[in-house]
Amino acid sequence: MTAAIVDDAIRSRMSVRAFLPKDVAREDIEAILDVASRAPSGTNCQPWKVYVLQGASRDALVDKTCAAHDAIRANPELAAQYQEEYDYYPAQWVSPYIDRRRKNGWGLYGLLGIGKADKDKMHVQHQRNFRFFDAPVGLMFTVDKVMGRGSLVDYGAFLQNIMVAARGRGLHTCPQAAWNGFSSIILPHIGAGEGEMLVCGMSLGYADPDAPVNTFHTPRVPVADFTRWME
Ligand SMILES: Cc1cc2nc3c(=O)[nH]c(=O)nc-3n(C[C@H](O)[C@H](O)[C@H](O)COP(=O)(O)O)c2cc1C
């Protein structure tokens, strides 16, 4: 194993937001989940539960969630019905995170020619999340609510493994917290048990190489900015 191969798999991962209508082999999905499950987890709890949506089950979830998303647009009071089960983002944004978030959001919308006042276009672009960005495979991840917050740390390792293993098979992904507010639609749809909480969703498929949105590459702060060396 060389650093170059591992680094390339990690560096070539990006959030893809336009996929080709090309099926993904079940063997590939299974192999990705199998290798991803080598992720470490505290005391080897392996807290992940995965739901793979394809075909009619995928399409039906897309329809239901897009309808709810449209309904909220028409009547914003409905948003109160759709609550996230855990805080993915902070209640109060502070610098430098708010600055990075804005740069990311406006970078993406700028690339797509969506201005601050283009609420219709913004809604359509946001709704692309609930179409899995046209990916043929949608993944939903849940965790048993009895588990501690540490399980979300374990989950991060598992999710990253999926995204990197996908690269090894020519596939791309987009992790999606956008679904989290719609767990009241998603959990019954996938048949999740009473005690399960939605962690996030993910699109999986082959990237559309011609889609401008997929030319969006995000920067990172240099190592020196987030690391302190102590001797
Ligand atoms: C847990 C998680 C949830 C995310 N949710 C969304 C989402 O709902 N929609 C979306 O377009 N991108 C989502 N992203 C992608 C981030 O915006 C993206 O990772 C970040 O901007 C860095 O870009 P990159 O993934 O291309 O390197 C999510 C990322 C993570 C890790």
Side-chain angles (χ1 to χ4, degrees):
M1 182 165 52
T2 67
I5 292 173
V6 178
D7 290 2
D8 188 47
I10 294 171
R11 288 191 190 279
S12 69
R13 185 217 56 81
M14 56 174 278
S15 295
V16 157
R17 297 184 178 89
F19 291 84
L20 295 173
K22 181 179 167 185
D23 284 340
V24 180
R26 183 182 171 129
E27 304 83 72
D28 280 339
I29 303 172
E30 264 178 20
I32 288 167
L33 294 175
D34 181 47
V35 69
S37 73
R38 295 306 307 171
S41 58
T43 63
N44 204 20
C45 281
Q46 304 165 69
W48 33 81
K49 290 180 193 241
V50 183
Y51 297 84
V52 183
L53 292 114
Q54 296 170 281
S57 67
R58 172 210 173 279
D59 296 350
L61 182 65
V62 165
D63 288 348
K64 284 190 236 179
T65 313
C66 286
H69 186 236
D70 283 339
I72 294 169
R73 175 100 208 274
N75 177 8
E77 284 180 13
L78 292 176
Q81 289 178 20
Y82 299 101
Q83 297 292 334
E84 294 179 355
E85 292 185 278
Y86 71 98
D87 294 331
Y88 181 68
Y89 292 111
Q92 195 101 45
W93 282 94
V94 295
S95 198
Y97 312 109
I98 181 72
D99 315 311
R100 293 176 191 160
R101 175 181 166 85
R102 285 199 181 121
K103 191 174 170 198
N104 195 63
W106 291 119
L108 186 62
Y109 282 145
L111 181 72
L112 297 171
I114 302 175
K116 282 186 186 179
D118 292 334
K119 301 290 180 208
D120 288 343
K121 283 189 188 167
M122 258 186 228
H123 180 79
V124 169
Q125 178 55 29
H126 191 225
Q127 190 164 95
R128 299 265 309 137
N129 273 285
F130 310 123
R131 301 182 184 283
F132 290 111
F133 301 107
D134 297 332
V137 183
L139 301 172
M140 288 292 160
F141 302 97
T142 71
V143 68
D144 280 322
K145 284 184 201 166
V146 292
M147 299 302 285
R149 284 199 290 173
S151 287
L152 293 180
V153 179
D154 303 338
Y155 235 113
F158 177 65
L159 294 170
Q160 173 73 353
N161 272 359
I162 291 176
M163 295 186 275
V164 173
R167 292 304 305 119
R169 290 160 179 83
L171 291 156
H172 270 102
T173 52
C174 186
Q176 296 175 267
W179 291 97
N180 293 11
F182 293 100
S183 61
S184 60
I185 294 174
I186 297 160
L187 295 177
H189 182 83
I190 61 180
E194 268 296 292
E196 287 174 56
M197 177 182 93
L198 184 68
V199 174
C200 67
M202 186 184 288
S203 301
L204 172 71
Y206 293 94
D208 180 348
D210 300 322
V213 71
N214 288 340
T215 63
F216 185 61
H217 292 290
T218 52
R220 296 294 188 269
V221 297
V223 173
D225 286 13
F226 62 82
T227 309
R228 268 198 227 169
W229 301 86
M230 275 155 283
E231 289 176 9

Coordinates of all heavy atoms in Angstrom, one line a residue, residues 102-143:
R102 N -20.7 30.6 4.8 CA -21.2 31.6 3.8 C -20.4 31.5 2.5 O -21.0 31.5 1.4 CB -21.0 33.0 4.3 CG -22.1 33.4 5.4 CD -22.2 34.9 5.5 NE -23.2 35.2 6.5 CZ -23.0 35.9 7.6 NH1 -21.8 36.4 7.9 NH2 -24.0 36.1 8.5
K103 N -19.1 31.4 2.7 CA -18.2 31.2 1.5 C -18.6 30.0 0.7 O -18.7 30.0 -0.6 CB -16.8 31.1 1.9 CG -15.7 31.2 0.8 CD -14.3 31.3 1.4 CE -13.4 31.1 0.3 NZ -12.0 30.7 0.7
N104 N -18.9 28.9 1.4 CA -19.3 27.7 0.7 C -20.6 27.8 0.0 O -20.8 27.5 -1.2 CB -19.4 26.6 1.8 CG -19.5 25.2 1.2 OD1 -18.5 24.8 0.6 ND2 -20.6 24.5 1.4
G105 N -21.6 28.4 0.7 CA -23.0 28.5 0.2 C -23.0 29.5 -1.0 O -23.5 29.1 -2.1
W106 N -22.3 30.6 -0.9 CA -22.4 31.6 -2.0 C -21.5 31.1 -3.2 O -21.7 31.5 -4.3 CB -22.1 33.0 -1.5 CG -23.2 33.5 -0.7 CD1 -23.2 33.8 0.6 CD2 -24.6 33.5 -1.0 NE1 -24.4 34.1 1.1 CE2 -25.3 34.0 0.1 CE3 -25.3 33.3 -2.2 CZ2 -26.7 34.1 0.1 CZ3 -26.7 33.4 -2.2 CH2 -27.4 33.9 -1.1
G107 N -20.4 30.4 -2.8 CA -19.6 29.8 -3.9 C -20.4 28.9 -4.8 O -20.3 29.0 -6.0
L108 N -21.2 28.0 -4.1 CA -22.0 27.0 -4.8 C -23.1 27.7 -5.6 O -23.2 27.5 -6.8 CB -22.6 26.0 -3.8 CG -23.3 24.9 -4.4 CD1 -22.4 24.0 -5.3 CD2 -24.0 24.0 -3.3
Y109 N -23.8 28.6 -5.0 CA -24.9 29.3 -5.6 C -24.3 30.2 -6.7 O -24.9 30.4 -7.8 CB -25.7 30.1 -4.6 CG -26.7 29.3 -3.8 CD1 -27.0 29.6 -2.5 CD2 -27.3 28.2 -4.4 CE1 -27.9 28.8 -1.8 CE2 -28.2 27.4 -3.7 CZ -28.5 27.7 -2.4 OH -29.3 26.9 -1.7
G110 N -23.2 30.8 -6.5 CA -22.5 31.7 -7.5 C -22.2 30.9 -8.8 O -22.5 31.4 -9.9
L111 N -21.7 29.7 -8.6 CA -21.3 28.9 -9.7 C -22.6 28.5 -10.5 O -22.5 28.4 -11.7 CB -20.7 27.6 -9.1 CG -20.2 26.5 -10.1 CD1 -19.0 27.0 -10.9 CD2 -19.9 25.2 -9.4
L112 N -23.7 28.4 -9.8 CA -25.0 28.0 -10.5 C -25.7 29.2 -11.0 O -26.8 29.1 -11.5 CB -25.8 27.2 -9.5 CG -25.2 25.9 -9.1 CD1 -26.0 25.2 -7.9 CD2 -25.1 24.9 -10.2
G113 N -25.2 30.4 -10.7 CA -25.8 31.6 -11.2 C -27.1 32.0 -10.4 O -28.0 32.6 -10.9
I114 N -27.1 31.6 -9.1 CA -28.2 31.9 -8.2 C -27.8 33.0 -7.3 O -26.9 32.9 -6.5 CB -28.6 30.6 -7.4 CG1 -28.9 29.4 -8.3 CG2 -29.8 30.9 -6.5 CD1 -29.2 28.1 -7.6
G115 N -28.6 34.1 -7.5 CA -28.3 35.3 -6.7 C -29.1 35.3 -5.4 O -29.9 34.4 -5.2
K116 N -28.7 36.2 -4.5 CA -29.3 36.2 -3.1 C -30.8 36.4 -3.2 O -31.5 35.9 -2.3 CB -28.7 37.3 -2.3 CG -27.4 37.0 -1.7 CD -26.9 38.0 -0.8 CE -25.4 37.6 -0.4 NZ -24.8 38.5 0.5
A117 N -31.3 37.0 -4.2 CA -32.8 37.3 -4.3 C -33.5 36.2 -5.0 O -34.8 36.2 -5.1 CB -33.0 38.7 -5.0
D118 N -32.8 35.3 -5.6 CA -33.4 34.2 -6.4 C -34.0 33.1 -5.6 O -33.5 32.0 -5.6 CB -32.4 33.6 -7.4 CG -32.0 34.6 -8.5 OD1 -32.8 35.5 -8.8 OD2 -30.9 34.4 -9.0
K119 N -35.1 33.4 -4.8 CA -35.6 32.4 -3.9 C -36.1 31.2 -4.6 O -36.0 30.1 -4.1 CB -36.7 33.1 -3.0 CG -36.3 34.3 -2.2 CD -35.3 33.9 -1.1 CE -34.9 35.1 -0.3 NZ -33.6 34.9 0.4
D120 N -36.7 31.4 -5.8 CA -37.3 30.2 -6.5 C -36.1 29.2 -6.9 O -36.2 28.0 -6.7 CB -38.0 30.7 -7.8 CG -39.3 31.3 -7.4 OD1 -39.8 31.2 -6.3 OD2 -39.8 32.1 -8.3
K121 N -35.1 29.8 -7.5 CA -34.0 29.0 -7.9 C -33.3 28.3 -6.7 O -32.9 27.2 -6.8 CB -32.9 29.8 -8.6 CG -33.3 30.2 -10.1 CD -32.1 30.8 -10.7 CE -32.5 31.4 -12.1 NZ -31.5 32.3 -12.7
M122 N -33.2 29.0 -5.6 CA -32.7 28.5 -4.4 C -33.5 27.3 -3.9 O -32.9 26.2 -3.5 CB -32.7 29.5 -3.2 CG -31.3 30.2 -3.0 SD -31.5 31.2 -1.6 CE -30.7 32.7 -2.2
H123 N -34.8 27.4 -3.9 CA -35.7 26.3 -3.5 C -35.4 25.1 -4.4 O -35.3 24.0 -3.9 CB -37.1 26.8 -3.6 CG -38.1 25.7 -3.2 ND1 -38.4 25.4 -1.9 CD2 -38.9 24.9 -3.9 CE1 -39.3 24.4 -1.8 NE2 -39.6 24.1 -3.1
V124 N -35.4 25.3 -5.7 CA -35.1 24.2 -6.6 C -33.8 23.6 -6.4 O -33.7 22.3 -6.3 CB -35.2 24.7 -8.1 CG1 -34.7 23.7 -9.1 CG2 -36.6 25.2 -8.5
Q125 N -32.8 24.4 -6.2 CA -31.4 23.8 -5.9 C -31.4 23.0 -4.6 O -30.9 21.9 -4.5 CB -30.3 24.9 -5.9 CG -28.9 24.4 -5.6 CD -28.5 23.2 -6.5 OE1 -28.9 23.1 -7.7 NE2 -27.6 22.3 -6.0
H126 N -32.1 23.6 -3.6 CA -32.1 22.9 -2.3 C -32.9 21.6 -2.4 O -32.5 20.6 -1.9 CB -32.8 23.8 -1.2 CG -32.7 23.3 0.2 ND1 -33.8 23.2 1.0 CD2 -31.7 22.7 0.8 CE1 -33.3 22.7 2.2 NE2 -32.1 22.4 2.1
Q127 N -33.9 21.6 -3.3 CA -34.7 20.4 -3.5 C -34.0 19.3 -4.2 O -34.3 18.1 -4.1 CB -36.0 20.7 -4.2 CG -37.0 19.6 -4.2 CD -38.4 20.0 -4.6 OE1 -38.8 19.9 -5.7 NE2 -39.2 20.4 -3.6
R128 N -32.9 19.7 -4.9 CA -32.1 18.7 -5.5 C -31.6 17.6 -4.5 O -31.4 16.5 -4.8 CB -30.9 19.3 -6.2 CG -31.3 20.3 -7.3 CD -31.3 19.7 -8.7 NE -30.1 19.0 -9.1 CZ -30.1 17.8 -9.7 NH1 -31.2 17.2 -10.0 NH2 -29.0 17.2 -10.0
N129 N -31.4 18.1 -3.2 CA -31.0 17.2 -2.2 C -32.1 16.1 -2.1 O -31.7 14.9 -1.9 CB -31.1 18.0 -0.8 CG -29.7 18.6 -0.5 OD1 -28.8 18.0 -0.1 ND2 -29.7 19.9 -0.6
F130 N -33.3 16.5 -2.1 CA -34.4 15.5 -1.9 C -34.7 14.6 -3.1 O -35.6 13.8 -3.1 CB -35.7 16.2 -1.4 CG -35.3 17.1 -0.2 CD1 -35.6 18.4 -0.2 CD2 -34.6 16.6 0.9 CE1 -35.3 19.3 0.8 CE2 -34.2 17.4 1.9 CZ -34.6 18.7 1.9
R131 N -33.9 14.9 -4.2 CA -34.0 14.0 -5.4 C -32.7 13.2 -5.4 O -32.3 12.7 -6.5 CB -34.1 14.9 -6.6 CG -35.4 15.7 -6.6 CD -35.6 16.5 -7.9 NE -36.8 17.3 -7.8 CZ -38.0 16.9 -7.9 NH1 -38.3 15.6 -8.2 NH2 -39.0 17.7 -7.8
F132 N -31.9 13.2 -4.3 CA -30.6 12.5 -4.3 C -29.7 13.0 -5.4 O -28.9 12.2 -6.0 CB -30.8 11.0 -4.3 CG -31.4 10.4 -3.0 CD1 -32.6 9.8 -3.1 CD2 -30.7 10.4 -1.9 CE1 -33.2 9.3 -1.9 CE2 -31.2 9.8 -0.7 CZ -32.5 9.3 -0.7
F133 N -29.9 14.3 -5.8 CA -29.2 14.8 -6.9 C -29.2 13.9 -8.1 O -28.2 13.8 -8.9 CB -27.7 15.1 -6.5 CG -27.6 16.1 -5.3 CD1 -27.3 15.6 -4.1 CD2 -27.9 17.4 -5.5 CE1 -27.2 16.5 -3.0 CE2 -27.8 18.3 -4.4 CZ -27.5 17.8 -3.1
D134 N -30.3 13.2 -8.3 CA -30.5 12.3 -9.4 C -29.7 11.0 -9.3 O -29.7 10.1 -10.2 CB -30.3 12.9 -10.8 CG -31.2 14.0 -11.1 OD1 -32.4 14.0 -10.6 OD2 -30.8 14.9 -11.8
A135 N -29.0 10.8 -8.2 CA -28.3 9.5 -8.0 C -29.3 8.3 -7.9 O -30.4 8.5 -7.3 CB -27.5 9.5 -6.7
P136 N -29.0 7.2 -8.5 CA -30.0 6.1 -8.4 C -30.0 5.4 -7.0 O -30.9 4.6 -6.8 CB -29.4 5.1 -9.5 CG -27.9 5.4 -9.5 CD -27.8 6.9 -9.3
V137 N -29.0 5.7 -6.2 CA -29.0 5.1 -4.9 C -29.0 6.1 -3.8 O -28.2 7.1 -3.8 CB -27.7 4.2 -4.7 CG1 -27.7 3.5 -3.3 CG2 -27.5 3.2 -5.8
G138 N -30.0 5.9 -2.9 CA -30.0 6.8 -1.7 C -29.8 6.0 -0.5 O -30.3 4.8 -0.4
L139 N -28.9 6.5 0.4 CA -28.6 5.7 1.6 C -29.2 6.6 2.8 O -29.1 7.8 2.8 CB -27.1 5.6 1.8 CG -26.4 4.8 0.7 CD1 -24.9 4.9 0.9 CD2 -26.8 3.4 0.6
M140 N -29.8 5.8 3.7 CA -30.2 6.5 5.0 C -29.5 5.8 6.1 O -29.4 4.5 6.1 CB -31.7 6.4 5.1 CG -32.5 7.3 4.2 SD -32.2 9.0 4.6 CE -32.7 9.8 3.0
F141 N -29.0 6.6 7.1 CA -28.3 6.0 8.2 C -29.0 6.4 9.5 O -29.3 7.5 9.7 CB -26.9 6.7 8.2 CG -26.1 6.4 7.0 CD1 -26.1 7.4 6.0 CD2 -25.4 5.2 6.7 CE1 -25.3 7.2 4.8 CE2 -24.7 5.0 5.6 CZ -24.7 5.9 4.6
T142 N -29.2 5.4 10.3 CA -29.8 5.6 11.6 C -28.9 5.0 12.7 O -28.0 4.2 12.5 CB -31.2 5.0 11.7 OG1 -31.1 3.6 11.8 CG2 -32.1 5.4 10.6
V143 N -29.2 5.5 13.9 CA -28.6 5.0 15.1 C -29.6 4.8 16.2 O -30.6 5.5 16.2 CB -27.5 6.0 15.6 CG1 -28.1 7.3 16.1 CG2 -26.5 5.4 16.6

